[in-house]
Amino acid sequence: MYGFEALTFNIHGGYLEAIVRGHRGGLLTAADYNNLCQCENLDDIKMHLSATEYGPYLQNEPSPLHTTTIVEKCTLKLVDDYKHMLCQATEPLSTFLEYITYGHMIDNVVLIVTGTLHERDVQELLEKCHPLGMFDSIATLAVAQNMRELYRLVLVDTPLAPYFSECITSDDLDDMNIEIMRNTLYKAYLEDFYRFCQKLGGATAEIMSDLLAFEADRRAVNITINSIGTELTRDDRRKLYSNFGLLYPYGHEELAVCEDIDQVRAAMEKYPPYQSIFAKLSYGESQMLDKAFYEEEVKRLCLAFEQQFHYAVFFAYMRLREQEIRNLMWISECVAQNQKSRVHDSVVFIF
Amino acid sequence: MDYIDNLPPMDLMRSEKMTFVQLIMPVESAHRAVCYLGELGLLQFRDMNDDKSPFQRTFANQVKRCAEMSRKLRFFKDQINKAGLVCSPCLAFQPDIELEELEAQLAEHEHELNEMNSNSEKLQQTYNELLEFKIVLQKACGFLASSHSHAAIEERELDEHAYSNSDDYVEGASLLEQETRPASSNQSGLRFVSGIVCKSKVLRFERMLFRATRGNMFFNQAPADEQIMDPISTEMVEKTVFVVFFSGEQARLKILKICEAFGAHCYPVPEDIHKHRQITREVSSRLVDLEATLDAGIRHRNKALASIEGHLAKWINMVRREKAVYDTLNMLNFDVTKKCLVGEGWCPIFAKTQIQEALRRATFDSSSQVGIIFHPMDAVESPPTYFRTNRFTSAFQEIVDAYGVARYQEANPSVYTVITFPFLFAVMFGDWGHGICLLLGALFLIARESKLCTQKLGSFMEMLFGGRYVLLLMALFSIYCGLVYNEFFSVPFHIFGRSAYECRDTSCRDAQTAGLLKRHDTYPFGVDPSWRGSRSELAFLNSLKMKMSILLGVVQMNLGILISYFNARFFGNSVDIRYQFVPQMIFLNSLFGYLSLLIIVKWCTGSQADLYHVMIYMFLSPTDNLGENQLFWGQRFIQIVLLLLALVAVPWMLFPKPFILKKLHTARYQGHAYGRLNTSEMDLEVEPDSARARQHHEEFNFSEVFVHQMIHSIEFVLGAVSNTASYLRLWALSLAHSELSTVFYEKVLLLAWGYDNLIIRLVGLAVFSFATAFILLMMETLSAFLHALRLHWVEFQNKFYHGDGYKFRPFSFASLAEDDD
């Protein structure tokens, strides 16, 4: 029911929307980042963060801090927020919230599978997994030898199972087809999420389709750039692009045939929203592309808060927090390794 | 005027005189000085480093160290709680120690504790493993015994199968030969893995095993009898023993991997009975040993914790204070030479000598060469408001502060609130039976005051306890008002003598119809008990209470306007007196003062005049003859004069003030070509960020001032009517209270008493007492409280109270503890 959210939204979603907007108020501001960038060591960072919402999570950490501890505790805060919201949520918001974590789940699956392929310790790998993407039998992934087993043993119980329909093969796992699996899964996930949001309708569909389209387009560009110079054929590459978004379908045709970064650029500059992103980069450069995309994403996510009575704020909040944690990680690393001149290379200011 | 000038100064009503002071402290004595000031708690520091983030400040390192120490202390506290030690206040002599020493001690203790913890954790882990092994041995033994028979059957089947298919048999035989493990069931290619897994994971574990082996396995499980402690969360976990039978090496690898993934611990179980017994014996004996070691370790640890615990409270307090001192020092600035710290702040004038004394002591104790300079300065911003209260007045001050903190040196309404608030409450809650109940409650709280104030109370109890003296006065006044209304749980009493009325004859049959006769003197105090239950009871009481409410309201509002006069006089604001106070006084009293006068005259003379009629026709047709409603001679003339006065008062309070303000402003700024001399230019250069630098030239916006004045005047004129009407709530609530208690008394208690049945009587008594306790004593108290609050905040305080000040928050150690809890 488009346009009538104001009438009924607050019955189920009002409390949580208030909660999430309150959480948003706790995001670090540009002033905070400026102060953080001036820190001399990790204790300074801890001291500064103790005045923010991360305070209670960091206050009991003994003094020689590590970057990983900071990141871990900050992620814990995000997970706590998420779990609180999930506990309070009713349908369809709870499903929506669960959809947000599927991306992490895919990443975790890929991480474990690649890790066991290279014979790393499972416990060690589990510690590296994102806590939002954990599921019950994740540790059992190490048992599987090929895709079919992977699916049959473990993933059939997880929400990822339907996304697997396209990549069940009996091939043994190797780096290449794991990467393809990740992208196929991601494609299926994004399309499913997109369909789900369309089904919800209203402002949620409108805003989420914009955000997800951006996500899909970004993935398409990244796949293209990463697959240049590999043995991936054009058709295979074409298959990994999600079937929606601004680039679909003509942009995908162009991206599929790109052979170097400048061709990608030429293809993308036909789309006004991406023109500005590529305008920031000099020719032949792809290093700063990630940051440019992140900045654009953050801008779009912040805009999601401008409208009321929709679910995209939850998605936006989770994404912004994750970006914030990435920022904190980068700042902490720079401070810990005395590379303060590079602090601004990768920090994306949120406000 | 002379009389007013000679009134004693209203010290009680004014907040303490404050002064802005500057402190210049040599670095070596600064810490001690701030410490002493914190103990004194009479100086509010101004943050001079607003623009700096916490870690850029001078003493960031010390603050960090304090935070680290408090982290360690929290860790100790946590450990002590986990160990389940009872916190006993240690009264042994504890020597004062330096912060550095404390830091070292804490580090040592933490190290010790961590070591002990890791040791005991290792031991605990070994212990857990052994315990699990023992349980597995016990349980698995049962499975194996039963599976032997199974195995025998399977073996036969397998054999038959093998004979029928020779190829298979060859393969099976080679497999058997490869098998090195000497176990009887291995003959059939059947092997097993036994172990233990968390109970919550069993189902998923079994499903995963089933899938991984494609169903070629046999899963046996039994719950463990004992719970096993999880070393990380130190919680007891229920576990389940399992034995999986399977065949094939591939399957074994898979199963072991799955076991690992599920955190299941596998233990080999020998099938040989003798060996089995032997191992069980060994495990049991080692378990006993370990248990003894573990116990010793825990005892040792508890001893160490107990020794820490004795000091913990003191240490926590010390670190908290130290952190507060450094936080305060961080608010100070270094001067140019970097040898002195410069601080600014507010202090009450009376505290100056005490502060100077503390500073002198600090200089002396830290044997500093240079004294601390302490001198007053002038400031632009208005000083904070500081009322000295005691435990009796603080609750009333809280009531006023909840509306808004008084402007600096503004008249403080809580002086009057102490009496008027409980009194207005009691007017609505007049029943001396209920009053006595309240009184008992209040006395209980006051009697246990010393005990309760150290305890931590729930939020509701805390509120009650905080307002115990308010409650006491409310109870006393409601007993008084209850006596006036002659109500005791709505039962009238003949306390002060005989009723003035009597029945017409001895049978008293026509008391309800023809009424009573007045035979005696008027009942000496309060309402005559004979009114109760009479036909005209309501009409009489309503008229009485309504008139009384208006009288009380008019008196209180007049008091409010009078206070505004004293405020204006205090601040030397003659414009406000002439163009605000005087017309307001005239307006209110010409209408409602006159009404009050009429009420009193009517009461004294016993006249039958209709006051509604008088008041309404005073406006509608002031020149008409009053007729039978005339109360005194010349009333018509007086009414016309009063009406004219009220009409004049409105433009009087509306127009002159903004114009005069405008004139004053132009005279001050544009009229004088020279403007004011800036005498503080020298100082500006020396102290660029001191309070003096923030001078501003205010713009005079006439339209804004005029609109403001218009709003005020309209508010007052309309307010005079609506506020007077608002005081009628006194009557309404009092009526509601007495009616409710009548209903409960007559319709519940008396009705139940009418039956000659013990159960019904008891039920009636129970319902009556519950209704009295919850509805009358709790709900009604609350509602009367809220209405009294409103009458004070709105009707009384809007006549004079600005309430836009800010509170004086001195740096004080005493308030630290309260903040923390």
Side-chain angles (χ1 to χ4, degrees):
Chain A
M1 283 288 277
Y2 183 74
F4 290 98
E5 293 98 348
L7 215 55
T8 55
F9 183 86
N10 279 346
I11 299 171
H12 293 298
Y15 170 67
L16 280 176
E17 187 176 356
I19 291 274
V20 83
R21 281 177 190 273
H23 282 321
R24 175 192 174 271
L27 289 172
L28 300 181
T29 58
D32 285 318
Y33 283 118
N34 280 335
N35 279 329
L36 282 172
C37 293
Q38 288 162 12
C39 287
E40 292 296 332
N41 51 42
L42 292 181
D43 281 332
D44 284 349
I45 291 184
K46 175 185 164 186
M47 194 165 164
H48 188 89
L49 289 181
S50 66
T52 66
E53 287 195 350
Y54 295 117
Y57 291 87
L58 282 169
Q59 68 170 1
N60 282 339
E61 286 311 306
S63 198
L65 277 172
H66 296 289
T67 317
T68 43
T69 335
I70 293 181
V71 173
E72 194 182 312
K73 293 295 162 186
C74 294
T75 315
L76 188 65
K77 144 103 185 126
L78 172 67
V79 174
D80 281 354
D81 287 353
Y82 174 78
K83 282 189 177 149
H84 177 76
M85 291 194 287
L86 189 64
C87 286
Q88 303 285 338
T90 51
E91 280 297 328
L93 179 55
S94 51
T95 312
F96 182 88
L97 285 175
E98 277 163 8
Y99 263 106
I100 295 176
T101 63
Y102 293 169
H104 293 294
M105 246 181 232
I106 295 172
D107 287 341
N108 284 352
V109 167
V110 171
L111 180 74
I112 300 265
V113 172
T114 338
T116 38
L117 205 66
H118 296 187
E119 291 175 354
R120 303 279 284 278
D121 183 38
V122 181
Q123 281 308 321
E124 197 183 305
L125 290 171
L126 283 179
E127 277 166 24
K128 282 188 190 161
C129 287
H130 198 286
L132 278 183
M134 288 303 230
F135 48 91
D136 285 338
S137 42
I138 190 163
T140 334
L141 285 172
V143 182
Q145 298 294 321
N146 55 37
M147 295 279 186
R148 193 176 294 280
E149 264 191 341
L150 201 64
Y151 175 73
R152 203 176 54 78
L153 275 182
V154 190
L155 294 178
V156 69
D157 286 340
T158 66
L160 299 184
Y163 307 151
F164 243 84
S165 55
E166 279 188 46
C167 51
I168 297 178
T169 55
S170 298
D171 297 345
D172 273 357
L173 293 166
D174 61 42
D175 282 341
M176 181 76 175
N177 63 22
I178 289 176
E179 203 53 39
I180 292 175
M181 174 185 88
R182 182 214 292 270
N183 285 312
T184 326
L185 285 180
Y186 233 102
K187 171 191 170 178
Y189 157 60
L190 283 179
E191 284 171 2
D192 190 29
F193 198 4
Y194 185 78
R195 272 196 301 278
F196 176 73
C197 291
Q198 293 298 326
K199 207 171 72 196
L200 287 179
T204 308
E206 189 186 352
I207 298 168
M208 278 310 291
S209 63
D210 181 46
L211 292 174
L212 287 175
F214 180 76
E215 176 79 18
D217 291 346
R218 184 177 65 177
R219 290 199 74 85
V221 172
N222 279 340
I223 289 168
T224 314
I225 292 176
N226 289 337
S227 65
I228 289 174
T230 60
E231 57 207 26
L232 200 70
T233 61
R234 287 177 182 180
D235 283 345
D236 285 346
R237 194 196 279 177
R238 175 75 189 78
K239 269 186 211 153
L240 297 179
Y241 300 150
S242 308
N243 288 331
F244 65 98
L246 203 57
L247 299 179
Y248 177 77
Y250 303 111
H252 287 170
E253 300 299 338
E254 284 189 62
L255 279 181
V257 297
C258 285
E259 291 298 338
D260 59 39
I261 178 80
D262 285 334
Q263 285 179 11
V264 175
R265 186 193 192 102
M268 294 298 286
E269 277 181 346
K270 291 174 189 159
Y271 293 88
Y274 302 118
Q275 201 176 14
S276 61
I277 292 177
F278 279 86
K280 287 179 196 161
L281 310 174
S282 51
Y283 275 88
E285 188 189 46
S286 61
Q287 293 291 317
M288 297 297 284
L289 186 62
D290 272 342
K291 194 192 174 190
F293 268 122
Y294 277 137
E295 274 170 358
E296 177 68 20
E297 186 189 9
V298 163
K299 210 159 69 187
R300 285 167 187 240
L301 291 172
C302 286
L303 284 179
F305 283 94
E306 300 294 313
Q307 210 169 330
Q308 226 187 326
F309 308 127
H310 62 93
Y311 291 156
V313 282
F314 298 96
F315 180 79
Y317 169 69
M318 298 297 288
R319 281 301 168 94
L320 286 175
R321 264 283 184 228
E322 280 165 27
Q323 180 61 43
E324 182 174 292
I325 291 168
R326 273 198 294 274
N327 287 344
L328 282 177
M329 180 159 72
W330 179 261
I331 293 174
S332 313
E333 281 295 351
C334 286
V335 169
Q337 296 175 12
N338 261 331
Q339 300 270 331
K340 281 173 70 177
S341 53
R342 295 189 54 202
V343 162
H344 288 281
D345 284 4
S346 170
V347 172
V348 181
F349 290 162
I350 293 180
F351 297 116
Chain B
M1 271 298 155
D2 280 348
Y3 171 70
I4 290 171
D5 285 334
N6 292 333
L7 281 176
M10 297 191 292
D11 279 343
L12 260 180
M13 284 180 40
R14 307 281 170 207
S15 63
E16 293 297 331
K17 281 209 175 66
M18 306 299 269
T19 176
F20 192 70
V21 293
Q22 191 182 39
L23 288 163
I24 303 174
M25 300 185 264
V27 174
E28 63 269 23
S29 57
H31 181 267
R32 202 176 286 265
V34 171
C35 233
Y36 287 169
L37 288 177
E39 271 161 24
L40 192 62
L42 282 171
L43 183 66
Q44 174 179 4
F45 284 94
R46 199 167 68 84
D47 193 352
M48 298 168 76
N49 302 326
D50 251 342
D51 47 339
K52 287 189 186 165
S53 62
F55 57 86
Q56 285 170 326
R57 299 191 176 201
T58 328
F59 295 94
N61 261 328
Q62 280 84 340
V63 172
K64 241 184 271 177
R65 270 168 55 196
C66 290
E68 176 69 15
M69 276 193 272
S70 53
R71 181 193 67 76
K72 280 175 189 155
L73 289 171
R74 273 198 302 273
F75 171 68
F76 294 152
K77 208 172 178 180
D78 191 43
Q79 289 286 320
I80 288 169
N81 284 343
K82 252 187 197 168
L85 289 181
V86 194
C87 280
S88 57
C90 187
L91 298 170
F93 175 69
Q94 295 163 344
D96 280 323
I97 45 171
E98 284 298 308
L99 196 69
E100 279 74 20
E101 216 176 306
L102 177 64
E103 197 175 9
Q105 270 192 26
L106 288 183
E108 197 181 307
H109 281 305
E110 197 197 15
H111 183 70
E112 196 185 354
L113 260 183
N114 273 339
E115 204 157 279
M116 277 192 275
N117 278 349
S118 68
N119 277 343
S120 69
E121 209 167 279
K122 258 184 239 158
L123 279 176
Q124 185 73 43
Q125 204 172 347
T126 337
Y127 177 78
N128 277 352
E129 274 171 20
L130 280 173
L131 190 64
E132 284 176 1
F133 193 15
K134 189 179 145 197
I135 295 169
V136 171
L137 281 174
Q138 282 170 359
K139 293 285 169 187
C141 186
F143 297 139
L144 292 179
S146 64
S147 72
H148 267 303
S149 48
H150 280 289
I153 299 163
E154 277 173 45
E155 204 172 343
R156 211 175 307 130
E157 279 174 3
L158 197 74
D159 282 350
E160 283 165 15
H161 187 66
Y163 284 126
S164 62
N165 190 334
S166 59
D167 288 345
D168 264 17
Y169 176 68
V170 174
E171 245 184 59
S174 64
L175 266 177
L176 282 177
E177 275 161 13
Q178 283 167 12
E179 195 51 64
T180 49
R181 197 166 151 183
S184 62
S185 58
N186 275 356
Q187 317 268 296
S188 61
L190 242 183
R191 293 181 297 162
F192 67 89
V193 168
S194 54
I196 195 162
V197 70
C198 274
K199 198 181 176 190
S200 53
K201 290 186 189 166
V202 169
L203 256 176
R204 271 183 286 126
F205 182 57
E206 187 178 353
R207 190 165 55 203
M208 193 57 66
L209 284 175
F210 186 86
R211 276 195 206 139
T213 57
R214 296 169 188 261
N216 293 325
M217 61 109 202
F218 182 68
F219 189 84
N220 252 324
Q221 54 168 323
D225 304 325
E226 292 170 72
Q227 290 188 333
I228 290 162
M229 189 156 83
D230 185 19
I232 297 161
S233 62
T234 68
E235 275 173 19
M236 301 307 272
V237 188
E238 275 188 66
K239 294 213 169 186
T240 302
V241 176
F242 65 86
V243 179
V244 194
F245 296 93
F246 60 90
S247 63
E249 181 64 19
Q250 280 291 329
R252 195 177 79 92
L253 283 180
K254 266 188 194 164
I255 288 173
L256 286 180
K257 259 191 183 167
I258 291 172
C259 285
E260 194 190 347
F262 275 88
H265 299 150
C266 297
Y267 300 96
V269 178
E271 283 176 71
D272 186 22
I273 298 290
H274 298 291
K275 215 173 171 189
H276 185 257
R277 275 195 198 135
Q278 191 191 339
I279 290 178
T280 313
R281 229 178 293 128
E282 251 172 57
V283 167
S284 300
S285 71
R286 276 183 64 195
L287 260 180
V288 174
D289 285 355
L290 259 181
E291 215 161 318
T293 335
L294 258 180
D295 277 350
I298 287 173
R299 263 203 305 280
H300 183 58
R301 186 163 152 264
N302 282 357
K303 215 191 274 170
L305 280 177
S307 77
I308 292 173
E309 196 248 313
H311 301 282
L312 198 62
K314 186 185 159 71
W315 286 347
I316 288 177
N317 195 17
M318 191 172 154
V319 170
R320 194 188 288 149
R321 280 175 172 224
E322 207 60 35
K323 187 164 180 292
V325 168
Y326 282 117
D327 278 338
T328 310
L329 282 174
N330 271 335
M331 293 184 185
L332 311 184
N333 255 349
F334 267 111
D335 77 337
V336 195
T337 58
K338 292 271 172 200
K339 279 182 186 145
C340 291
L341 283 164
V342 182
E344 287 173 0
W346 291 102
C347 76
I349 283 181
F350 74 86
K352 264 165 105 177
T353 49
Q354 282 166 280
I355 291 173
Q356 266 158 344
E357 172 57 28
L359 293 178
R360 239 196 315 282
R361 252 188 319 135
T363 317
F364 182 75
D365 287 352
S366 53
S367 55
S368 159
Q369 303 277 323
V370 196
I372 296 170
I373 301 169
F374 173 78
H375 63 94
M377 301 204 310
D378 29 330
V380 173
E381 55 193 293
S382 86
T385 311
Y386 176 43
F387 293 110
R388 275 189 284 180
T389 54
N390 53 28
R391 59 185 176 187
F392 182 78
T393 51
S394 63
F396 294 99
Q397 186 67 52
E398 286 290 312
I399 289 177
V400 171
D401 282 351
Y403 175 79
V405 177
R407 188 181 275 190
Y408 177 61
Q409 294 256 296
E410 186 180 28
N412 180 12
S414 38
V415 179
Y416 298 103
T417 306
V418 172
I419 295 302
T420 53
F421 183 83
F423 178 67
L424 287 190
F425 169 85
V427 170
M428 294 179 267
F429 197 77
D431 187 316
W432 59 279
H434 296 150
I436 286 172
C437 295
L438 276 192
L439 184 66
L440 291 178
L443 285 178
F444 171 77
L445 285 176
I446 291 168
R448 297 174 60 98
E449 187 175 59
S450 54
K451 206 172 187 181
L452 285 172
C453 66
T454 52
Q455 261 171 320
K456 239 183 129 81
L457 305 163
S459 64
F460 183 70
M461 260 315 266
E462 182 116 40
M463 213 164 63
L464 269 186
F465 181 68
R468 60 199 180 277
Y469 289 106
V470 183
L471 209 61
L472 176 75
L473 282 190
M474 287 183 341
L476 290 177
F477 275 111
S478 54
I479 291 174
Y480 168 75
C481 285
L483 289 174
V484 171
Y485 295 159
N486 207 342
E487 291 207 36
F488 176 86
F489 295 108
S490 84
V491 186
F493 274 76
H494 295 74
I495 304 174
F496 299 101
R498 227 166 8 154
S499 168
Y501 302 95
E502 269 186 3
C503 300
R504 284 165 199 272
D505 49 24
T506 44
S507 66
C508 246
R509 246 179 293 114
D510 52 355
Q512 292 292 327
T513 45
L516 303 169
L517 284 184
K518 184 168 179 182
R519 292 262 171 83
H520 310 280
D521 291 339
T522 316
Y523 191 69
F525 182 84
V527 176
D528 196 310
S530 299
W531 283 108
R532 163 71 51 187
S534 67
R535 210 156 35 112
S536 52
E537 179 199 4
L538 266 186
F540 170 70
L541 283 179
N542 281 351
S543 142
L544 171 75
K545 287 179 179 174
M546 217 187 296
K547 284 170 184 155
M548 199 178 63
S549 309
I550 288 176
L551 285 183
L552 290 174
V554 170
V555 168
Q556 201 184 20
M557 287 192 291
N558 268 316
L559 176 65
I561 301 176
L562 257 180
I563 295 176
S564 84
Y565 165 72
F566 284 108
N567 261 344
R569 240 174 70 84
F570 182 82
F571 292 114
N573 196 344
S574 58
V575 178
D576 269 2
I577 298 180
R578 271 181 233 143
Y579 303 106
Q580 205 150 313
F581 163 70
V582 175
Q584 282 185 352
M585 226 29 191
I586 290 174
F587 184 82
L588 183 71
N589 285 313
S590 62
L591 300 181
F592 296 101
Y594 174 64
L595 175 62
S596 309
L597 182 78
L598 289 183
I599 290 171
I600 292 171
V601 169
K602 189 178 166 182
W603 275 350
C604 292
T605 58
S607 142
Q608 303 275 319
D610 183 3
L611 294 187
Y612 296 114
H613 192 271
V614 175
M615 281 312 282
I616 289 168
Y617 281 89
M618 176 174 165
F619 291 101
L620 292 184
S621 50
T623 50
D624 276 9
N625 205 347
L626 284 159
E628 57 178 4
N629 286 324
Q630 180 151 357
L631 279 158
F632 50 86
W633 181 83
Q635 195 180 359
R636 194 169 58 147
F637 173 69
I638 287 179
Q639 279 187 3
I640 292 171
V641 170
L642 287 176
L643 199 62
L644 286 176
L645 274 177
L647 283 179
V648 169
V650 176
W652 186 355
M653 67 177 104
L654 174 59
F655 292 113
K657 196 182 159 191
F659 287 102
I660 289 169
L661 282 180
K662 187 178 158 78
K663 214 179 104 197
L664 280 178
H665 188 267
T666 39
R668 192 181 299 157
Y669 289 104
Q670 275 92 39
H672 300 283
Y674 297 106
R676 281 195 302 176
L677 268 179
N678 199 350
T679 49
S680 57
E681 205 164 27
M682 291 293 285
D683 294 333
L684 285 183
E685 283 168 17
V686 182
E687 297 144 347
D689 61 354
S690 82
R692 274 188 235 189
R694 282 182 255 112
Q695 303 216 348
H696 54 284
H697 176 88
E698 63 233 78
E699 279 294 314
F700 188 82
N701 190 341
F702 179 74
S703 62
E704 202 171 284
V705 171
F706 190 81
V707 168
H708 189 74
Q709 184 66 22
M710 200 158 76
I711 292 172
H712 258 275
S713 310
I714 292 173
E715 193 190 334
F716 182 82
V717 171
L718 295 182
V721 182
S722 69
N723 290 353
T724 311
S726 181
Y727 274 96
L728 288 177
R729 72 185 67 230
L730 291 174
W731 154 62
L733 263 95
S734 156
L735 174 72
H737 184 86
S738 76
E739 287 302 308
L740 260 180
S741 55
T742 310
V743 166
F744 288 131
Y745 176 70
E746 282 179 0
K747 301 294 173 204
V748 178
L749 193 64
L750 287 188
L751 194 76
W753 228 248
Y755 292 93
D756 199 15
N757 185 336
L758 187 67
I759 296 171
I760 293 181
R761 282 184 175 189
L762 279 181
V763 168
L765 194 65
V767 171
F768 173 72
S769 43
F770 270 100
T772 304
F774 288 103
I775 298 180
L776 291 175
L777 282 177
M778 283 175 64
M779 306 270 289
E780 278 282 295
T781 309
L782 206 64
S783 87
F785 184 95
L786 289 178
H787 282 285
L789 204 62
R790 186 218 141 94
L791 286 179
H792 278 83
W793 280 354
V794 181
E795 274 74 28
F796 177 48
Q797 291 184 8
N798 76 357
K799 302 286 183 294
F800 66 98
Y801 192 59
H802 292 284
D804 54 358
Y806 64 102
K807 250 188 182 165
F808 177 57
R809 295 188 188 283
F811 168 60
S812 144
F813 288 147
S815 63
L816 276 182
E818 291 162 24
D819 291 348
D820 229 47
D821 293 333

